[in-house]
Amino acid sequence: MKGYRSVSETAKEWGISIRWVNQYILEGRVPGCERLGRSWAIPNDAVKPERLKPGIKKQEKTEIIA
């Protein structure tokens, strides 16, 4: 598919494991990815997300109960 690359190609380019690429995709941190059967198509212009530091979680919604 033109304009897209596979998870393994992305992992090699970014210098990380395939598992990390999948994790970033599942967390929604790589925009523009498309699911093709059991595989992912990642846009060629996708940038590697910054790794979150330990203890810092994605912004969560909290409700205050009075």
Side-chain angles (χ1 to χ4, degrees):
M1 195 170 181
K2 280 192 172 183
Y4 290 90
R5 59 181 178 232
S6 69
V7 171
S8 60
E9 292 169 335
T10 303
K12 285 179 187 175
E13 185 177 318
W14 289 354
I16 58 176
S17 69
I18 292 171
R19 180 67 186 121
W20 271 111
V21 176
N22 280 317
Q23 189 65 37
Y24 288 146
I25 293 169
L26 292 174
E27 290 174 356
R29 296 176 60 195
V30 184
C33 294
E34 298 202 21
R35 188 78 182 203
L36 301 173
R38 294 177 65 182
S39 302
W40 286 99
I42 303 164
N44 286 333
D45 60 350
V47 232
K48 178 183 173 186
E50 287 189 34
R51 194 162 176 189
L52 297 177
K53 296 183 179 178
I56 299 175
K57 306 226 180 218
K58 288 173 42 175
Q59 192 174 18
E60 298 177 9
K61 290 183 179 180
T62 57
E63 292 183 28
I64 300 173
I65 301 172

